[in-house]
Amino acid sequence: YVSGSKTLTAEEKQRAYKGPDETLEDWYSLLRETGKTLKSRGVNLVDLTQVFAQSSETICIDDCCHVNHKGNLMMAEAMSSQIK
């Protein structure tokens, strides 16, 4: 539900997307802005909301926040590159 974060596949549109949700969009916007503030204050924080932006594969498995094995690997790789 973050604008530009993932082009949904036909399967994801059917199974994992319940339609536009302004409340979720507002919350994610607030979380991302808060993250930027924390980062500017020295908190080691990485925003992963764009980790699937370049993927054309099915990643999302429900309309909440759960992803498949491929999605978990992508997040793990993004996190481990930051930890290194």
Side-chain angles (χ1 to χ4, degrees):
Y1 295 99
V2 175
S3 180
S5 65
K6 171 86 171 72
T7 300
L8 300 177
T9 65
E11 183 179 355
E12 288 171 322
K13 287 177 185 175
Q14 180 181 17
R15 182 175 51 179
Y17 184 66
K18 62 182 178 183
D21 188 322
E22 291 179 19
T23 302
L24 278 177
E25 290 177 22
D26 289 346
W27 276 106
Y28 275 115
S29 179
L30 178 61
L31 286 170
R32 293 179 80 198
E33 288 304 314
T34 301
K36 288 177 187 176
T37 300
L38 290 171
K39 195 169 184 171
S40 73
R41 293 180 182 170
V43 175
N44 188 6
L45 180 133
V46 179
D47 179 352
L48 294 181
T49 56
Q50 299 301 309
V51 73
F52 306 129
Q54 302 304 314
S55 177
S56 59
E57 298 178 55
T58 295
I59 300 290
C60 305
I61 60 172
D62 63 23
D63 66 358
C64 174
C65 54
H66 300 102
V67 297
N68 61 18
H69 183 70
K70 173 70 175 177
N72 283 319
L73 288 176
M74 292 172 73
M75 287 192 300
E77 288 173 9
M79 288 187 280
S80 68
S81 71
Q82 294 298 315
I83 293 169
K84 289 179 185 178

